[in-house]
Coordinates of all heavy atoms in Angstrom, one line a residue:
M1 N 12.0 -16.0 -13.7 CA 10.5 -16.1 -13.2 C 10.4 -15.2 -12.0 O 11.2 -15.2 -11.0 CB 10.1 -17.4 -13.0 CG 8.6 -17.6 -12.6 SD 8.2 -19.3 -12.6 CE 6.8 -19.2 -11.5
A2 N 9.5 -14.3 -11.9 CA 9.2 -13.4 -10.8 C 8.8 -14.2 -9.5 O 8.1 -15.2 -9.6 CB 8.1 -12.4 -11.2
E3 N 9.3 -13.7 -8.4 CA 8.9 -14.3 -7.1 C 7.4 -14.0 -6.8 O 6.9 -12.9 -7.1 CB 9.9 -13.6 -6.1 CG 9.7 -14.0 -4.8 CD 10.7 -13.4 -3.8 OE1 11.3 -12.5 -4.2 OE2 10.7 -13.8 -2.7
T4 N 6.8 -15.0 -6.2 CA 5.3 -14.8 -5.7 C 5.3 -14.0 -4.4 O 6.0 -14.5 -3.5 CB 4.6 -16.1 -5.7 OG1 4.7 -16.7 -7.0 CG2 3.2 -15.9 -5.3
I5 N 4.6 -13.0 -4.4 CA 4.4 -12.3 -3.1 C 3.0 -12.6 -2.6 O 2.0 -12.3 -3.4 CB 4.6 -10.8 -3.3 CG1 5.9 -10.5 -4.0 CG2 4.5 -10.1 -2.0 CD1 7.1 -10.9 -3.3
T6 N 2.8 -12.9 -1.3 CA 1.5 -13.0 -0.8 C 1.1 -11.8 0.0 O 1.9 -11.4 0.9 CB 1.4 -14.3 0.2 OG1 1.7 -15.4 -0.6 CG2 0.0 -14.5 0.8
I7 N 0.0 -11.2 -0.4 CA -0.5 -10.0 0.3 C -1.9 -10.4 0.9 O -2.8 -10.9 0.1 CB -0.7 -8.9 -0.6 CG1 0.6 -8.5 -1.5 CG2 -1.3 -7.6 0.0 CD1 1.7 -8.0 -0.6
T8 N -2.0 -10.2 2.1 CA -3.4 -10.3 2.8 C -3.8 -8.9 3.2 O -3.1 -8.1 3.3 CB -3.3 -11.2 4.0 OG1 -2.4 -10.6 5.0 CG2 -3.0 -12.6 3.7
D9 N -5.2 -8.8 3.2 CA -5.7 -7.3 3.5 C -6.8 -7.5 4.5 O -7.5 -8.5 4.6 CB -6.1 -6.7 2.2 CG -7.3 -7.3 1.5 OD1 -8.4 -7.0 1.8 OD2 -7.0 -8.1 0.6
E10 N -7.0 -6.4 5.2 CA -8.0 -6.4 6.2 C -8.5 -4.9 6.5 O -7.8 -3.9 6.2 CB -7.5 -7.0 7.5 CG -6.3 -6.3 8.1 CD -5.7 -7.0 9.3 OE1 -6.4 -6.9 10.4 OE2 -4.6 -7.6 9.1
E11 N -9.8 -4.9 6.9 CA -10.3 -3.6 7.3 C -9.6 -3.0 8.5 O -8.9 -3.7 9.2 CB -11.8 -3.8 7.7 CG -12.7 -4.1 6.5 CD -14.1 -4.2 7.0 OE1 -14.8 -3.3 7.1 OE2 -14.5 -5.4 7.3
T12 N -9.7 -1.7 8.6 CA -9.3 -1.0 9.8 C -10.5 -0.3 10.4 O -11.6 -0.2 9.8 CB -8.2 0.1 9.5 OG1 -8.8 1.1 8.8 CG2 -7.1 -0.6 8.6
P13 N -10.4 0.2 11.6 CA -11.5 1.0 12.2 C -11.9 2.2 11.4 O -13.1 2.7 11.4 CB -11.1 1.4 13.6 CG -10.0 0.4 13.9 CD -9.3 0.0 12.7
N14 N -11.0 2.7 10.6 CA -11.3 3.8 9.7 C -11.8 3.3 8.4 O -11.1 2.6 7.7 CB -10.0 4.7 9.5 CG -10.2 5.8 8.5 OD1 -11.2 5.9 7.9 ND2 -9.1 6.6 8.5
P15 N -13.1 3.6 8.0 CA -13.6 3.1 6.8 C -12.9 3.6 5.5 O -13.0 3.1 4.5 CB -15.1 3.7 6.8 CG -15.0 4.8 7.6 CD -13.9 4.6 8.7
N16 N -11.9 4.6 5.6 CA -11.3 5.1 4.5 C -9.8 4.6 4.5 O -9.0 5.1 3.6 CB -11.2 6.6 4.5 CG -12.6 7.2 4.2 OD1 -13.2 6.7 3.2 ND2 -12.9 8.2 4.8
A17 N -9.5 3.6 5.4 CA -8.2 3.0 5.4 C -8.2 1.5 5.4 O -9.2 0.9 5.9 CB -7.5 3.5 6.7
W18 N -7.3 0.9 4.7 CA -7.3 -0.6 4.6 C -5.8 -1.0 4.7 O -4.9 -0.4 4.3 CB -7.8 -1.0 3.2 CG -8.3 -2.3 3.2 CD1 -7.6 -3.5 3.0 CD2 -9.8 -2.7 3.3 NE1 -8.5 -4.5 3.0 CE2 -9.8 -4.1 3.2 CE3 -10.9 -2.0 3.5 CZ2 -11.0 -4.8 3.4 CZ3 -12.1 -2.7 3.7 CH2 -12.2 -4.1 3.6
K19 N -5.6 -2.1 5.5 CA -4.2 -2.6 5.8 C -4.0 -3.8 4.8 O -4.6 -4.7 4.7 CB -4.2 -3.1 7.3 CG -2.9 -3.6 7.6 CD -2.9 -4.0 9.1 CE -1.6 -4.6 9.6 NZ -1.7 -5.1 11.0
F20 N -2.7 -3.7 4.2 CA -2.3 -4.7 3.4 C -1.0 -5.3 3.9 O 0.0 -4.5 4.0 CB -2.0 -4.2 2.0 CG -3.3 -3.6 1.3 CD1 -3.7 -2.3 1.6 CD2 -3.9 -4.4 0.4 CE1 -4.8 -1.8 1.0 CE2 -5.1 -3.9 -0.2 CZ -5.5 -2.6 0.1
T21 N -0.9 -6.6 4.3 CA 0.3 -7.2 4.9 C 0.9 -8.1 3.9 O 0.2 -8.9 3.3 CB -0.2 -8.0 6.2 OG1 -0.8 -7.1 7.0 CG2 1.0 -8.6 6.9
A22 N 2.3 -8.0 3.9 CA 3.0 -8.9 3.0 C 3.7 -10.0 3.8 O 3.8 -10.0 5.0 CB 4.2 -8.1 2.3
D23 N 4.0 -11.1 3.1 CA 4.6 -12.2 3.7 C 6.2 -12.0 3.8 O 7.0 -13.0 3.9 CB 4.4 -13.5 3.0 CG 4.9 -13.5 1.5 OD1 5.5 -12.4 1.0 OD2 4.8 -14.5 0.8
R24 N 6.6 -10.8 3.9 CA 8.0 -10.4 4.0 C 8.2 -9.0 4.5 O 7.2 -8.2 4.5 CB 8.7 -10.5 2.6 CG 8.3 -9.6 1.6 CD 8.5 -10.0 0.2 NE 7.8 -11.2 0.0 CZ 8.4 -12.3 -0.6 NH1 9.6 -12.2 -1.1 NH2 7.7 -13.4 -0.8
V25 N 9.4 -8.6 4.8 CA 9.7 -7.2 5.1 C 9.5 -6.3 3.9 O 10.1 -6.5 2.9 CB 11.1 -7.1 5.8 CG1 11.4 -5.6 6.0 CG2 11.1 -7.9 7.0
I26 N 8.8 -5.2 4.1 CA 8.6 -4.2 3.0 C 9.6 -3.1 3.3 O 10.1 -2.5 2.4 CB 7.1 -3.7 3.0 CG1 6.1 -4.9 2.6 CG2 6.9 -2.6 2.1 CD1 4.7 -4.5 2.9
N27 N 9.6 -2.6 4.6 CA 10.4 -1.4 5.0 C 11.1 -1.7 6.3 O 10.6 -1.7 7.3 CB 9.3 -0.4 5.2 CG 10.0 1.0 5.7 OD1 11.2 1.1 5.5 ND2 9.2 1.8 6.4
P28 N 12.4 -2.1 6.1 CA 13.2 -2.4 7.3 C 13.5 -1.1 8.2 O 14.0 -1.3 9.3 CB 14.5 -3.0 6.7 CG 14.6 -2.4 5.3 CD 13.2 -2.2 4.9
G29 N 13.3 0.1 7.6 CA 13.7 1.3 8.3 C 12.5 1.9 9.1 O 11.4 1.2 9.3
P30 N 12.5 3.1 9.4 CA 11.4 3.8 10.1 C 10.2 3.9 9.1 O 10.3 3.8 8.0 CB 12.0 5.3 10.4 CG 13.2 5.3 9.6 CD 13.7 4.0 9.1
T31 N 9.0 4.1 9.8 CA 7.7 4.2 9.1 C 7.9 5.4 8.1 O 8.4 6.5 8.5 CB 6.7 4.4 10.1 OG1 6.5 3.4 10.9 CG2 5.3 4.7 9.4
R32 N 7.4 5.2 6.9 CA 7.2 6.2 5.9 C 5.8 6.5 5.7 O 5.0 5.6 5.3 CB 7.9 5.7 4.6 CG 9.3 5.3 4.8 CD 10.1 4.8 3.6 NE 9.4 4.2 2.5 CZ 9.7 3.0 2.0 NH1 10.6 2.2 2.7 NH2 9.0 2.4 1.0
A33 N 5.4 7.7 5.9 CA 4.0 8.1 5.8 C 3.8 9.3 4.9 O 4.7 10.3 5.0 CB 3.4 8.4 7.1
Y34 N 3.0 9.3 4.0 CA 2.7 10.3 3.0 C 1.2 10.6 2.9 O 0.4 9.7 2.8 CB 3.2 9.9 1.6 CG 4.7 9.3 1.6 CD1 4.8 8.0 1.6 CD2 5.7 10.2 1.6 CE1 6.2 7.5 1.7 CE2 6.9 9.8 1.6 CZ 7.2 8.4 1.7 OH 8.5 8.0 1.6
Y35 N 0.9 12.0 2.9 CA -0.5 12.4 2.9 C -0.9 13.0 1.6 O -2.0 13.4 1.4 CB -0.8 13.2 4.1 CG -0.4 12.5 5.3 CD1 0.7 12.7 6.0 CD2 -1.3 11.5 5.8 CE1 1.0 12.0 7.2 CE2 -1.0 10.7 6.9 CZ 0.2 11.0 7.6 OH 0.5 10.3 8.7
H36 N 0.1 13.1 0.6 CA -0.2 13.5 -0.8 C 0.9 13.0 -1.6 O 2.0 12.8 -1.3 CB -0.4 15.0 -0.8 CG 0.7 15.9 -0.2 ND1 1.8 16.2 -0.9 CD2 0.7 16.5 1.0 CE1 2.6 16.9 -0.1 NE2 2.0 17.1 1.0
A37 N 0.5 13.0 -2.9 CA 1.5 12.3 -3.9 C 2.8 13.1 -4.1 O 3.8 12.5 -4.3 CB 0.8 12.2 -5.3
D38 N 2.8 14.4 -3.9 CA 4.0 15.1 -4.1 C 5.0 14.8 -3.1 O 6.2 14.7 -3.3 CB 3.7 16.6 -4.0 CG 3.0 17.2 -5.2 OD1 2.9 16.5 -6.2 OD2 2.4 18.3 -5.1
A39 N 4.6 14.5 -1.8 CA 5.5 14.1 -0.8 C 6.1 12.8 -1.0 O 7.2 12.5 -0.5 CB 4.8 14.1 0.6
A40 N 5.5 11.9 -1.8 CA 6.0 10.6 -2.0 C 6.7 10.4 -3.3 O 7.1 9.3 -3.7 CB 4.8 9.7 -2.1
Q41 N 7.1 11.5 -4.0 CA 7.7 11.4 -5.3 C 9.1 10.7 -5.3 O 9.4 10.1 -6.3 CB 7.9 12.8 -5.9 CG 8.9 13.7 -5.2 CD 8.8 15.1 -5.9 OE1 8.1 15.3 -6.9 NE2 9.6 16.0 -5.3
D42 N 9.8 10.6 -4.2 CA 11.1 10.0 -4.1 C 11.0 8.5 -3.6 O 12.0 7.9 -3.3 CB 12.1 10.8 -3.2 CG 12.5 12.1 -3.9 OD1 12.5 12.2 -5.2 OD2 12.8 13.0 -3.1
D43 N 9.8 8.1 -3.4 CA 9.5 6.7 -2.8 C 8.8 5.9 -3.9 O 7.6 6.2 -4.2 CB 8.6 6.8 -1.6 CG 8.5 5.5 -0.8 OD1 8.2 4.4 -1.6 OD2 8.6 5.5 0.4
P44 N 9.4 4.9 -4.5 CA 8.9 4.3 -5.7 C 7.6 3.5 -5.4 O 6.6 3.5 -6.1 CB 9.9 3.3 -6.2 CG 11.2 3.9 -5.7 CD 10.8 4.6 -4.4
L45 N 7.5 3.0 -4.2 CA 6.3 2.2 -3.8 C 5.1 3.1 -3.5 O 4.1 3.0 -4.1 CB 6.6 1.3 -2.6 CG 5.4 0.5 -2.0 CD1 4.8 -0.4 -3.1 CD2 5.8 -0.3 -0.8
A46 N 5.4 4.2 -2.7 CA 4.4 5.1 -2.4 C 3.9 5.8 -3.7 O 2.6 6.1 -3.9 CB 4.8 6.0 -1.4
S47 N 4.8 6.2 -4.5 CA 4.4 6.8 -5.8 C 3.5 6.0 -6.7 O 2.5 6.4 -7.2 CB 5.6 7.3 -6.6 OG 6.3 8.2 -6.0
A48 N 3.8 4.7 -6.7 CA 3.0 3.8 -7.5 C 1.5 3.6 -6.9 O 0.6 3.6 -7.6 CB 3.6 2.4 -7.6
L49 N 1.5 3.7 -5.6 CA 0.2 3.5 -4.9 C -0.6 4.9 -5.1 O -1.7 4.8 -5.4 CB 0.3 3.3 -3.4 CG 0.9 1.8 -3.2 CD1 1.3 1.7 -1.7 CD2 -0.2 0.7 -3.5
F50 N 0.0 6.0 -5.0 CA -0.6 7.3 -5.3 C -1.1 7.5 -6.7 O -2.0 8.2 -7.1 CB 0.3 8.4 -4.9 CG 0.1 8.9 -3.6 CD1 1.2 8.6 -2.6 CD2 -1.0 9.5 -3.1 CE1 1.1 9.0 -1.3 CE2 -1.1 9.9 -1.7 CZ -0.1 9.7 -0.8
A51 N -0.5 6.7 -7.7 CA -0.9 6.7 -9.1 C -2.3 6.1 -9.3 O -2.9 6.3 -10.3 CB 0.1 6.0 -10.0
L52 N -2.7 5.3 -8.3 CA -4.0 4.7 -8.4 C -5.1 5.7 -8.1 O -4.9 6.6 -7.2 CB -4.2 3.5 -7.4 CG -3.2 2.3 -7.6 CD1 -3.4 1.4 -6.4 CD2 -3.4 1.7 -8.9
P53 N -6.3 5.6 -8.8 CA -7.3 6.7 -8.6 C -7.8 6.5 -7.1 O -8.0 5.5 -6.6 CB -8.4 6.4 -9.5 CG -8.0 5.0 -10.1 CD -6.6 4.8 -9.8
K54 N -8.0 7.7 -6.5 CA -8.7 7.8 -5.2 C -7.8 7.5 -4.0 O -8.4 7.5 -2.8 CB -10.0 7.0 -5.1 CG -11.0 7.2 -6.3 CD -11.6 8.6 -6.2 CE -12.7 8.7 -7.2 NZ -12.9 10.0 -7.7
V55 N -6.5 7.3 -4.2 CA -5.6 7.1 -3.0 C -5.3 8.4 -2.5 O -4.9 9.4 -3.1 CB -4.3 6.3 -3.5 CG1 -3.3 6.3 -2.4 CG2 -4.7 4.9 -3.9
A56 N -5.5 8.5 -1.2 CA -5.2 9.8 -0.4 C -4.1 9.8 0.6 O -3.6 10.9 0.9 CB -6.6 10.2 0.4
G57 N -3.6 8.6 0.9 CA -2.5 8.5 1.9 C -1.9 7.1 1.9 O -2.5 6.2 1.6
V58 N -0.6 7.0 2.3 CA 0.1 5.8 2.2 C 1.0 5.8 3.5 O 1.7 6.7 3.7 CB 0.9 5.6 1.0 CG1 1.7 4.4 1.1 CG2 0.1 5.6 -0.2
M59 N 1.0 4.7 4.2 CA 1.9 4.5 5.4 C 2.6 3.1 5.2 O 1.8 2.2 5.1 CB 1.1 4.6 6.7 CG 2.1 4.4 7.9 SD 1.3 4.6 9.5 CE 0.3 3.1 9.5
I60 N 3.9 3.1 5.1 CA 4.6 1.9 4.9 C 5.4 1.6 6.2 O 6.2 2.3 6.5 CB 5.6 2.2 3.7 CG1 4.8 2.6 2.4 CG2 6.3 0.8 3.4 CD1 5.7 3.1 1.3
V61 N 5.1 0.5 6.8 CA 5.6 0.0 8.0 C 6.4 -1.3 7.7 O 6.6 -1.7 6.5 CB 4.6 -0.3 9.0 CG1 5.1 -0.6 10.4 CG2 3.7 0.9 9.1
R62 N 7.0 -1.9 8.6 CA 7.8 -3.1 8.4 C 7.3 -4.2 7.4 O 8.0 -4.5 6.4 CB 8.2 -3.7 9.8 CG 9.1 -4.9 9.6 CD 9.7 -5.4 10.9 NE 10.4 -6.7 10.8 CZ 11.8 -6.6 10.4 NH1 12.4 -5.5 10.1 NH2 12.4 -7.7 10.2
D63 N 6.2 -4.7 7.7 CA 5.7 -5.8 6.9 C 4.2 -5.5 6.3 O 3.5 -6.4 5.8 CB 5.6 -7.1 7.6 CG 4.7 -7.2 8.8 OD1 4.2 -6.2 9.2 OD2 4.4 -8.3 9.2
F64 N 3.8 -4.2 6.5 CA 2.5 -3.9 6.0 C 2.4 -2.4 5.5 O 3.3 -1.6 5.8 CB 1.3 -4.2 7.0 CG 1.3 -3.2 8.2 CD1 0.5 -2.0 8.1 CD2 2.0 -3.6 9.3 CE1 0.6 -1.2 9.2 CE2 1.9 -2.7 10.4 CZ 1.2 -1.5 10.4
V65 N 1.4 -2.2 4.6 CA 1.2 -0.9 4.1 C -0.3 -0.5 4.4 O -1.2 -1.4 4.2 CB 1.3 -0.8 2.6 CG1 1.0 0.6 2.0 CG2 2.8 -1.1 2.3
T66 N -0.6 0.6 4.9 CA -1.9 1.1 5.1 C -2.2 2.2 4.1 O -1.4 3.0 3.9 CB -2.3 1.7 6.5 OG1 -2.0 0.6 7.5 CG2 -3.6 2.2 6.6
V67 N -3.3 2.0 3.3 CA -3.6 2.9 2.3 C -5.0 3.6 2.7 O -5.9 3.0 3.1 CB -3.9 2.2 0.9 CG1 -4.4 3.2 -0.2 CG2 -2.5 1.6 0.3
N68 N -4.9 4.9 2.6 CA -6.1 5.7 2.8 C -6.7 6.1 1.5 O -6.0 6.5 0.5 CB -5.8 6.9 3.6 CG -5.5 6.6 5.1 OD1 -6.4 6.4 5.8 ND2 -4.2 6.6 5.4
K69 N -8.0 6.0 1.4 CA -8.7 6.4 0.2 C -9.5 7.7 0.3 O -9.8 8.0 1.5 CB -9.6 5.3 -0.4 CG -10.8 5.1 0.5 CD -11.8 4.1 -0.1 CE -13.1 3.9 0.7 NZ -13.9 5.2 0.9
Q70 N -9.7 8.3 -0.8 CA -10.7 9.5 -0.7 C -12.0 8.9 -0.4 O -12.4 7.7 -0.8 CB -10.6 10.2 -2.1 CG -9.4 10.9 -2.4 CD -9.3 11.4 -3.8 OE1 -10.3 11.3 -4.5 NE2 -8.1 11.8 -4.2
P71 N -12.9 9.7 0.2 CA -14.3 9.2 0.5 C -15.1 8.6 -0.7 O -15.8 7.7 -0.5 CB -15.0 10.4 1.2 CG -13.8 11.2 1.8 CD -12.7 11.0 0.8
A72 N -14.8 9.2 -1.8 CA -15.5 8.8 -3.0 C -15.0 7.4 -3.5 O -15.6 6.8 -4.3 CB -15.5 9.8 -4.1
G73 N -13.8 7.0 -3.0 CA -13.3 5.7 -3.6 C -14.0 4.6 -3.0 O -14.6 4.6 -2.0
Q74 N -14.0 3.4 -3.7 CA -14.5 2.2 -3.3 C -13.5 1.1 -3.1 O -12.8 0.8 -4.0 CB -15.6 1.8 -4.4 CG -16.7 2.7 -4.6 CD -17.6 2.9 -3.4 OE1 -17.9 1.9 -2.8 NE2 -17.9 4.1 -3.1
W75 N -13.5 0.5 -1.9 CA -12.6 -0.5 -1.6 C -12.7 -1.8 -2.6 O -11.8 -2.4 -2.9 CB -12.6 -1.0 -0.2 CG -12.0 0.0 0.7 CD1 -12.6 0.7 1.7 CD2 -10.6 0.5 0.7 NE1 -11.7 1.6 2.3 CE2 -10.5 1.4 1.8 CE3 -9.5 0.2 -0.1 CZ2 -9.2 2.2 2.0 CZ3 -8.4 0.9 0.1 CH2 -8.2 1.8 1.1
K76 N -13.9 -1.9 -3.0 CA -14.2 -3.1 -3.9 C -13.3 -3.1 -5.2 O -12.9 -4.1 -5.6 CB -15.7 -3.2 -4.2 CG -16.1 -4.2 -5.2 CD -17.6 -4.2 -5.5 CE -18.1 -5.4 -6.4 NZ -19.4 -5.3 -6.7
T77 N -13.1 -1.9 -5.7 CA -12.3 -1.7 -6.9 C -10.9 -1.4 -6.6 O -9.9 -1.7 -7.4 CB -12.9 -0.6 -7.8 OG1 -13.0 0.6 -7.1 CG2 -14.2 -1.1 -8.4
L78 N -10.6 -0.7 -5.5 CA -9.3 -0.3 -5.2 C -8.4 -1.4 -4.6 O -7.2 -1.4 -4.9 CB -9.3 1.0 -4.2 CG -8.0 1.7 -4.0 CD1 -7.5 2.2 -5.2 CD2 -8.4 2.9 -3.0
R79 N -9.0 -2.2 -3.7 CA -8.2 -3.3 -3.1 C -7.5 -4.2 -4.0 O -6.2 -4.4 -3.9 CB -9.0 -4.1 -2.2 CG -9.4 -3.5 -0.9 CD -10.4 -4.2 0.0 NE -10.2 -5.6 0.1 CZ -11.1 -6.6 0.1 NH1 -12.4 -6.3 0.1 NH2 -10.8 -7.8 0.2
P80 N -8.0 -4.7 -5.1 CA -7.2 -5.5 -6.0 C -6.1 -4.7 -6.7 O -5.0 -5.3 -7.0 CB -8.2 -6.1 -7.0 CG -9.6 -5.5 -6.7 CD -9.4 -4.7 -5.4
K81 N -6.3 -3.5 -6.9 CA -5.4 -2.7 -7.6 C -4.1 -2.4 -6.7 O -2.9 -2.5 -7.1 CB -5.9 -1.3 -8.1 CG -6.9 -1.5 -9.2 CD -7.6 -0.1 -9.5 CE -8.6 -0.4 -10.7 NZ -9.3 0.9 -11.0
V82 N -4.4 -2.2 -5.4 CA -3.3 -1.9 -4.4 C -2.6 -3.2 -4.3 O -1.2 -3.3 -4.3 CB -3.9 -1.5 -3.0 CG1 -2.9 -1.6 -2.0 CG2 -4.5 -0.1 -3.1
T83 N -3.2 -4.3 -4.2 CA -2.6 -5.7 -4.0 C -1.6 -5.9 -5.3 O -0.5 -6.3 -5.1 CB -3.6 -6.8 -3.9 OG1 -4.3 -6.6 -2.7 CG2 -2.9 -8.1 -3.9
A84 N -2.1 -5.6 -6.4 CA -1.3 -5.9 -7.7 C -0.1 -5.0 -7.7 O 1.0 -5.4 -8.0 CB -2.2 -5.5 -8.9
V85 N -0.2 -3.6 -7.2 CA 1.0 -2.8 -7.2 C 2.0 -3.3 -6.2 O 3.2 -3.4 -6.4 CB 0.5 -1.3 -6.8 CG1 1.8 -0.5 -6.3 CG2 -0.2 -0.7 -8.0
L86 N 1.5 -3.8 -5.0 CA 2.4 -4.3 -4.0 C 3.1 -5.5 -4.5 O 4.4 -5.6 -4.3 CB 1.6 -4.6 -2.7 CG 1.1 -3.4 -1.9 CD1 0.2 -3.8 -0.7 CD2 2.2 -2.5 -1.4
Q87 N 2.4 -6.4 -5.1 CA 3.0 -7.6 -5.6 C 4.1 -7.3 -6.7 O 5.2 -7.9 -6.7 CB 2.0 -8.6 -6.2 CG 1.2 -9.3 -5.1 CD 0.0 -10.0 -5.6 OE1 -0.6 -9.6 -6.7 NE2 -0.4 -11.0 -4.9
E88 N 3.8 -6.4 -7.5 CA 4.7 -6.0 -8.6 C 6.0 -5.4 -8.1 O 7.1 -5.7 -8.5 CB 4.0 -5.0 -9.6 CG 5.0 -4.5 -10.6 CD 4.3 -3.5 -11.6 OE1 3.0 -3.4 -11.7 OE2 5.0 -2.7 -12.2
K89 N 5.8 -4.4 -7.1 CA 6.9 -3.6 -6.6 C 7.8 -4.5 -5.7 O 9.1 -4.3 -5.6 CB 6.4 -2.4 -5.9 CG 5.8 -1.4 -6.8 CD 6.9 -0.8 -7.7 CE 6.4 0.3 -8.5 NZ 7.4 0.8 -9.5
L90 N 7.2 -5.5 -5.0 CA 7.9 -6.2 -4.1 C 8.5 -7.5 -4.6 O 9.5 -8.0 -4.1 CB 7.1 -6.7 -2.9 CG 6.4 -5.5 -2.1 CD1 5.6 -6.0 -0.9 CD2 7.5 -4.7 -1.4
A91 N 8.2 -7.9 -5.8 CA 8.6 -9.2 -6.4 C 10.2 -9.0 -6.7 O 10.6 -8.0 -7.3 CB 7.8 -9.5 -7.7
G92 N 10.9 -9.9 -6.3 CA 12.3 -10.0 -6.6 C 13.1 -9.0 -5.7 O 14.3 -9.0 -6.0
Q93 N 12.6 -8.3 -4.8 CA 13.4 -7.3 -4.1 C 14.0 -7.9 -2.8 O 14.7 -7.3 -2.2 CB 12.6 -6.1 -3.8 CG 12.3 -5.3 -5.1 CD 11.7 -3.9 -4.7 OE1 11.6 -3.5 -3.6 NE2 11.4 -3.2 -5.8
G94 N 13.4 -9.0 -2.4 CA 13.9 -9.7 -1.2 C 13.7 -8.8 0.0 O 14.5 -9.0 1.0
G95 N 12.7 -8.0 0.1 CA 12.5 -7.1 1.2 C 13.0 -5.7 1.0 O 14.0 -5.5 0.4
G96 N 12.4 -4.8 1.5 CA 12.8 -3.4 1.5 C 12.4 -2.7 0.2 O 13.2 -2.8 -0.8
A97 N 11.3 -2.3 0.0 CA 10.9 -1.7 -1.3 C 11.4 -0.3 -1.5 O 11.7 0.4 -0.5 CB 9.3 -1.6 -1.3

């Protein structure tokens, strides 16, 4: 049975960025930041997030991920998709995606 991952999310001062915090360590190393999908091709978590429509950037820190959307994107539809990707990718990994 897959491990349950709790993800909380919150607005940031930037209307095109949203912060998603996990109940565990996501990235034990240095911050990983990507501003286009090509740069993230070797990062499974970032690549999965870029596969979502309207994602423009991903920053992965110790226990949270900040996702930037294109201006045309809507958080109402994007937030649950980002949360689902994070839960799927982090489940069973015991930290460090």
Side-chain angles (χ1 to χ4, degrees):
M1 185 170 158
E3 183 179 6
T4 301
I5 309 295
T6 301
I7 305 291
T8 56
D9 64 89
E10 60 187 287
E11 290 181 85
T12 71
N14 176 349
N16 290 319
W18 207 274
K19 181 180 177 183
F20 298 83
T21 303
D23 62 352
R24 67 203 57 228
V25 172
I26 299 170
N27 177 25
T31 297
R32 303 184 326 244
Y34 307 99
Y35 302 101
H36 51 82
D38 290 345
Q41 66 184 359
D42 293 331
D43 187 317
L45 178 57
S47 291
L49 292 167
F50 271 108
L52 299 173
K54 308 294 186 204
V55 169
V58 175
M59 181 176 68
I60 305 168
V61 186
R62 182 168 175 80
D63 66 345
F64 71 89
V65 174
T66 299
V67 174
N68 287 280
K69 68 172 183 65
Q70 297 169 1
Q74 298 296 317
W75 286 120
K76 181 179 178 180
T77 56
L78 193 54
R79 283 172 47 213
K81 293 175 183 177
V82 170
T83 298
V85 166
L86 291 172
Q87 289 172 327
E88 177 187 338
K89 291 294 184 185
L90 299 176
Q93 292 190 1

